[in-house]
Amino acid sequence: MDRHGFLRQLHRTYKPRNYLEIGVNDGRSLALSRVPSVAIDPAFRVVTSISCDVHLVRATSDDFFARKDPLVHLRNGRNPFRALARKDPLNVLGGEPKLELSFIDGMHLFEYALRDFMNVERHSRWSSVIVLDDMLPRNVDEAARDRHTKFWAGDVYKVAQVLRKYRPDLVVVEVDTAPTGVVAIFGADPESTVLKNAYDKIIEEYVVPDPQDVPEEILVRKNAVQPEALLGADFWPSLIKARTLRRPRSAFAPVRRSIERLTG
C-alpha cells in the first residue's frame, strides 16, 4: 500500500471531522479529504480535483502557524456531521478548533518536520492522529539532507527518534507504506513544552552533515507495521468515541495498550 492508499483508508477508518495538510504539492493527498480542511504549501501546484471545503494557504508552515487564529477556517467551515456539530461544532473546544487528522509532508529536513509536528500538536488533542510522511528511507542516499535521488526522504526519520526519547507519553508507530514509509503518532498533548524547551539542544545534536547515520532497523523497516494491520486494529472505535465525547486524557491508557499490542 502506498501513502495515498493509506491516507484514503485512514480517512474512512478514523472519519475525521477536519483535516490539515502541510505540503500540498499537486493535491493528490488533499483530494482524499471530504471534510473542512486547511492545506499549507509555499509553492503548491494543484492539478487534481478537490472535493472538500478547503482553505489553501500559499505560505511556509512556520509563517502560517505564527498567524493569529490560524485555524479560523475550521471554525467557519461547513461541517458534514451536523448531528455531532450540535454537541461539538467543528470539534471546537473553548472556541479554538482542534485538529483531528493531520498529514505532514513539508520540507524534508529534520528541523522543519520537527517544528511542523510541534505546531500541529499545539492544535490537537490526545485523540487526534498525526501522520508524518517519508519516515522510512530505504538507503542512506534517500536520507540525505542534500537531495540527489529521485525519491527523497531527507533526514525527517529523526523526528521519530526524538519523540521516543523526549516524549515517551506519545505512541509512535512506523508504517510500512511505499515508497518511503510513514509514521502515525497518537496521544498528542497540546500543553506539553518538552520539545520547545529542548529545541536548541535537539537541533545541535541531530542536525549533522551528510552522509546521515541511518539506523539499520529503519532501513530494513524492522519495527514497521503493515498498513492493513494498523487500519484494521480494534482501537479505532474507542478512539473515535473518545474524540466525539471529548474524553479526558486518562482515557488514552486503554487505547495506548491496544496500539502497543499491535506494535509488539
Side-chain angles (χ1 to χ4, degrees), residues 22-82:
I22 298 175
V24 178
N25 196 8
D26 60 10
R28 281 183 294 167
S29 50
L30 180 59
L32 303 173
S33 177
R34 299 292 183 271
V35 295
S37 303
V38 172
I40 310 151
D41 193 313
F44 60 80
R45 48 182 182 84
V46 176
V47 296
T48 307
S49 295
I50 306 300
S51 302
C52 63
D53 175 18
V54 61
H55 179 40
L56 194 57
V57 184
R58 193 181 296 277
T60 66
S61 55
D62 284 332
D63 287 345
F64 172 78
F65 282 106
R67 297 178 179 182
K68 180 180 179 180
D69 201 5
L71 301 178
V72 63
H73 175 76
L74 299 182
R75 181 184 300 120
N76 298 330
R78 298 186 299 274
N79 187 351
F81 296 88
R82 294 180 181 176

Side-chain angles (χ1 to χ4, degrees), residues 110-124:
F110 162 73
E111 61 270 33
Y112 287 83
L114 179 62
R115 289 200 303 272
D116 285 343
F117 173 79
M118 293 165 62
N119 283 323
V120 167
E121 185 182 30
R122 285 192 296 109
H123 297 278
S124 301

Side-chain angles (χ1 to χ4, degrees), residues 13-181:
T13 298
Y14 179 60
K15 300 178 178 63
R17 293 169 294 178
N18 62 48
Y19 175 67
L20 176 130
E21 181 170 294
I22 298 175
V24 178
N25 196 8
D26 60 10
R28 281 183 294 167
S29 50
L30 180 59
L32 303 173
S33 177
R34 299 292 183 271
V35 295
S37 303
V38 172
I40 310 151
D41 193 313
F44 60 80
R45 48 182 182 84
V46 176
V47 296
T48 307
S49 295
I50 306 300
S51 302
C52 63
D53 175 18
V54 61
H55 179 40
L56 194 57
V57 184
R58 193 181 296 277
T60 66
S61 55
D62 284 332
D63 287 345
F64 172 78
F65 282 106
R67 297 178 179 182
K68 180 180 179 180
D69 201 5
L71 301 178
V72 63
H73 175 76
L74 299 182
R75 181 184 300 120
N76 298 330
R78 298 186 299 274
N79 187 351
F81 296 88
R82 294 180 181 176
L84 293 175
R86 286 195 292 270
K87 297 180 181 179
D88 184 15
L90 279 177
N91 203 21
V92 173
L93 180 61
E96 181 189 16
K98 294 294 183 178
L99 298 170
E100 294 195 347
L101 176 60
S102 300
F103 180 53
I104 298 174
D105 185 23
M107 186 62 176
H108 293 190
L109 295 177
F110 162 73
E111 61 270 33
Y112 287 83
L114 179 62
R115 289 200 303 272
D116 285 343
F117 173 79
M118 293 165 62
N119 283 323
V120 167
E121 185 182 30
R122 285 192 296 109
H123 297 278
S124 301
R125 295 193 183 119
W126 74 263
S127 53
S128 305
V129 179
I130 303 172
V131 178
L132 285 85
D133 195 22
D134 301 300
M135 297 294 285
L136 298 172
R138 295 166 294 183
N139 53 64
V140 173
D141 287 327
E142 282 187 347
R145 289 176 61 84
D146 184 11
R147 181 176 187 173
H148 57 272
T149 57
K150 177 181 178 181
F151 292 104
W152 181 45
D155 65 341
V156 299
Y157 69 89
K158 298 173 187 174
V159 174
Q161 297 177 320
V162 166
L163 295 183
R164 289 186 174 119
K165 178 178 179 179
Y166 286 87
R167 294 291 307 282
D169 55 308
L170 302 172
V171 178
V172 180
V173 182
E174 296 173 1
V175 187
D176 188 9
T177 58
T180 50

Side-chain angles (χ1 to χ4, degrees), residues 171-173 184-187 225 230 233-236 239 252-264:
V171 178
V172 180
V173 182
I185 300 170
F186 302 88
V225 303
L230 180 60
D234 61 4
F235 66 84
W236 291 106
L239 188 65
F252 181 43
V255 174
R256 181 185 187 114
R257 288 194 293 268
S258 180
I259 301 172
E260 289 177 339
R261 284 196 298 269
L262 175 70
T263 59

Side-chain angles (χ1 to χ4, degrees), residues 224-256:
V225 303
Q226 292 301 306
E228 295 85 355
L230 180 60
L231 293 165
D234 61 4
F235 66 84
W236 291 106
S238 296
L239 188 65
I240 293 168
K241 187 174 182 179
R243 179 195 71 195
T244 303
L245 298 178
R246 294 204 304 244
R247 287 183 169 164
R249 188 172 183 82
S250 58
F252 181 43
V255 174
R256 181 185 187 114

